Amino acid sequence: MRRPWILVIAIVILAVLGAGIGYYLAVPERLEPVRGVVGSEKATFFADPRVRDALADHGLRVEVDARGSGEMSTTVPLGRYDFAFPGSEQAAERVRQVRPAVGSYAPFESPLVVATFTPIVDLLAGQGAAHRAPEGHWVLDLDRFLDLAHRDVRWDQIAGNVAYPARRDILLTTTHPSDSGSAAAYAWLAARQLGDDSPAVDQVVRLFADQGGLERSTDDPFQKYLTQALNFAPLVLAYEAQYVEAARSETLPSNATLLYLSPTVSGVHTLVAFDGPGDRVGRLLDTDPELLRLAAEHGFRTADESISAAVLAGLSAGGAALPARIGDLVQPPAPAAVEALLTTLDVRLRP
Amino acid sequence: MRRTACLSLVVVLLTAVAGCTGQTRPEPSEGSEAPYKRGSGVLRVLAGSELADLDPVLADAETATGVRVQLTQIGTLDGIERVVSGAAAADQDAIWFSSNRYLELHPDAAGKIDVTTKVANSPVVLGLRASVAQRLGWDRTRPTWSEIAEAAGAGRFTYGMTNPAASNSGYSALVSVAAALAGTGRALTTAEINALTPRLRPFFAGQSLTAGSSGWLADAYVKRQTGDAPVDGLINYESVLVSLNHGGQLSEPLVIVHPADGVVTADYPLTLLAGASEQARTNYAAIADYLRRPSTQRRIMDTTFRRPAVPGVEPADVLGPVDGGLVELPFPSRYDAATALVTGFGDALRRPARTIYLLDTSGSMRGARLDGLKTALLGLSGADTSLSGALTRFNGREQVILLPFSTRPAASRRFDVPETNREPALNQIRDQVRRFAAVGDTAVYDALVAGLDLARQLDAAEPGRITSVVLLTDGERTVGKSFADFRAYHAKLPAPTKAVPVFTLLFGEGNVGEMTEISALTGGRTFDARTGPLAAVFKEIRGYQ
């Protein structure tokens, strides 16, 4: 009569013990949570388990949201984050105006490039808008390209074009310059080439307005480049790091290749820390050898060129190695110099 | 005693197992994927009805993440309005429509939405019955939108499409055909849109079925194929069309026509609303992570035929051209142009509507109910100036017929709204509505027969309109013909009139069973107006007229 009850009690004790052990094992290590808002092109870096482990070694668990760099100073609720990590110094400056920083770090950069396809490069070369640099990589001649865009030349108007005879204007597919750092940098580059009189500004406006609806953050069009390939668009503005990362993870679409803009500008990805935990993340990204190595693996160019050069040397596009140094790189503009242009674009594109 | 012991043992073991599974993280189905992110509770999502087919995926997402996704269905336009007015943020955490393009152009949208996660892709294309596609040669060569428009205008095929003012698939089709016919190669401006009217009209002349949602359109197409007035094809998401081909309900498979000059593709952005709570953010991150895993992406493609949104998942063979075979057409880049397309569609492009309202003005409607009805109809006549009001108002070239009934059907009043200068006609409608008074009994079926008789006469005298009937009653039939009488009457109607859909409202003490049967019998739909304002339901019905 008593035996079954003993059995039951024993099982209850074992079950409680088992659940306790399970609970103990399931509770994650006690890491300090840090929240950041980052340009979407850096989201895969922060999601990489090796990056998470490297930060955990320093007691940090970093959770990030991906937003456009331009959005960070307009619609992002900065109050809930320990740091913001836009894609340019200009966007970082605007962030600092909205919320004061305790520190800023620029651990790596990445030049603006165009993700495209081999047959498309051939078509542009035929139009004199693309050529090989002396080192072998392909270059988009911005002056010549802007001229094609200005004349509203369509892909189906290129003689002998059977590769992509689409009835669409020859334009770069970008994000919205008000929301996203890459598009803002392209707007500035174009304006710099065209001059700053009012017809030139009209031309810059049309580089965006003629595309149709624009996405808010750089990784959105790039992901569509990867998944929909030429169905989505022939020429997609991106950071070199995005292309390198896709090449290394073998997710590039078939016939994918890379055009370097000439001139181009480098996105100096700048971490703006609002408090102690955010500052620790910034300092680690700037100095920790493991994190710098991982940033290079994700395609970013580090201040110590030897770290990123090893990664870039292993990759090629268009039958040539990626350049160790970017030629025809212009200095990024002073934040104030972009401000007026972006305000004009915002008014013209969002009536 | 022994049995009690055994039972206790089972209970204890189950408890222990449950305790363990509650604490350990389930492993992802693909070995290389990281552990699932966890949240808890509910993620409240305002969503388009076309996402209901992801319910099984969301059920598994709950097991993996601990987050239950609660979808509240709403039309795209009403959704946009709730987001920009801030109403959505009051009771929802996120939104999920097939596209955010129109929303993001809205001047008040900035600051209302936060993080966005693209979940899938599906272009809006044309599906045609195989025999019709063969007759047109489109099973062998892909036509351009111009060729499609020409054939539709010449009556060589008929099709169904959702209303662009209510549903994203119809809106995407409108953008595609407009951009393709303009042929400029860049985003359309308002001035260019107005100039396109004469060239776009023939395309819409071929439309014989409309709907307020993509899912209902597909269902209506299936029902119609066995009736007296089948439709040759429908414009919808590629995912919906391929699903129909795999659903076993078609008497003839659809040939999926990907227009040669391009498409507009939906990208299903799951979007956090600004101001969401920290718990909602955690839940959102867990669900977004789950949905973009390669294993989930493959499953979404295999079960719903949407194309993947992450690299590394090969598109299924049943899906259309890849690698540049489909060109993405430009969406308008400005809000005014995007809106001009919708209003232009209603006032100038679409096949004009003949809209018959059968309105119960019996004694039980007195008071708040009649006031609600008046507000709803005055709203459609121009008093509602909100975005959804502006896009659901009575259109230019529309024929509006008001037929109040109580003990008997009253004399009907017909209002022909001209293409331009609509105001005098709308004024007359408003005057008529204000005069409604509630008195007498409820002759539901006498009114329904009168309404369909009217539809038959008017359609015979002036064919070419899209005719529909709306029936509002707040009570049971008390006098006149019975439901059985109506069924017998309906069976003898000529085919075109038999295909006139009757949209019924569940309202007050109306007979739910009969209202549902009327809409099923006529190919209409039943709308529930028992809890919300009548005006909202009247606007929703506009998508189907």
Side-chain angles (χ1 to χ4, degrees), chain A residues 122-182:
Chain A
D122 294 342
L123 290 172
L124 289 176
Q127 299 299 301
H131 60 84
R132 278 190 193 275
E135 301 92 319
H137 60 273
W138 279 98
V139 168
L140 183 71
D141 183 323
L142 192 56
D143 276 332
R144 300 247 183 141
F145 181 78
L146 291 175
D147 180 56
L148 287 177
H150 179 53
R151 289 189 285 120
D152 290 329
V153 179
R154 296 191 315 255
W155 292 101
D156 65 349
Q157 290 172 327
I158 297 178
N161 170 10
V162 289
Y164 184 69
R167 200 175 175 85
R168 287 216 60 173
D169 279 4
I170 300 178
L171 289 170
L172 296 191
T173 296
T174 71
T175 40
H176 199 297
S178 302
D179 294 335
S180 167
S182 60

Side-chain angles (χ1 to χ4, degrees), chain B residues 6 10 14 29 63 76 192 212 235 261 272 303 312 314 323 364 393 397 477 506 529:
Chain B
C6 282
V10 169
L14 282 176
S29 56
T63 312
T76 312
E192 287 167 336
I235 293 177
D261 42 2
L272 192 68
T303 56
E314 279 299 303
D323 284 343
S364 59
R393 61 165 167 73
R397 303 175 304 139
R477 170 202 78 102
L506 306 180

Side-chain angles (χ1 to χ4, degrees), chain B residues 454-541:
Chain B
L454 197 59
R456 181 171 56 180
Q457 291 157 22
L458 291 170
D459 283 348
E462 188 211 358
R465 287 180 177 271
I466 291 185
T467 302
S468 64
V469 173
V470 175
L471 172 63
L472 170 82
T473 176
D474 72 333
E476 302 253 4
R477 170 202 78 102
T478 52
V479 292
K481 291 187 179 58
S482 68
F483 178 64
D485 297 336
F486 171 70
R487 195 202 298 270
Y489 160 84
H490 191 264
K492 290 188 197 118
L493 282 173
T497 313
K498 207 185 266 180
V500 169
V502 177
F503 300 109
T504 59
L505 285 88
L506 306 180
F507 186 56
E509 295 80 45
N511 186 321
V512 173
E514 287 186 10
M515 288 299 121
T516 312
E517 283 195 62
I518 292 166
S519 60
L521 186 67
T522 58
R525 192 188 153 178
T526 302
F527 296 84
D528 196 343
R530 287 171 297 188
T531 50
L534 262 185
V537 180
F538 269 64
K539 286 202 270 189
E540 190 184 355
I541 294 174

Side-chain angles (χ1 to χ4, degrees), chain B residues 56-126:
Chain B
V57 174
L58 295 176
D60 286 357
E62 182 179 357
T63 312
T65 65
V67 179
R68 185 166 67 84
V69 176
Q70 177 189 301
L71 298 182
T72 301
Q73 290 189 0
I74 191 168
T76 312
L77 199 71
D78 289 332
I80 290 174
E81 188 162 82
R82 289 186 64 79
V83 172
V84 296
S85 70
D91 56 7
Q92 302 290 329
D93 306 312
I95 55 168
W96 199 6
F97 295 100
S98 42
S99 165
N100 276 356
R101 288 193 187 95
Y102 194 35
L103 168 65
E104 289 186 342
L105 293 180
H106 195 287
D108 298 332
K112 300 294 198 307
I113 52 178
D114 202 297
V115 191
T116 292
T117 306
K118 306 287 171 64
V119 176
N121 291 294
S122 196
V124 172
V125 294
L126 170 68

Side-chain angles (χ1 to χ4, degrees), chain B residues 374-389:
Chain B
K374 288 181 178 180
T375 304
L377 287 169
L378 293 173
L380 299 185
S381 320
D384 182 348
T385 54
S386 67
L387 172 65
S388 63

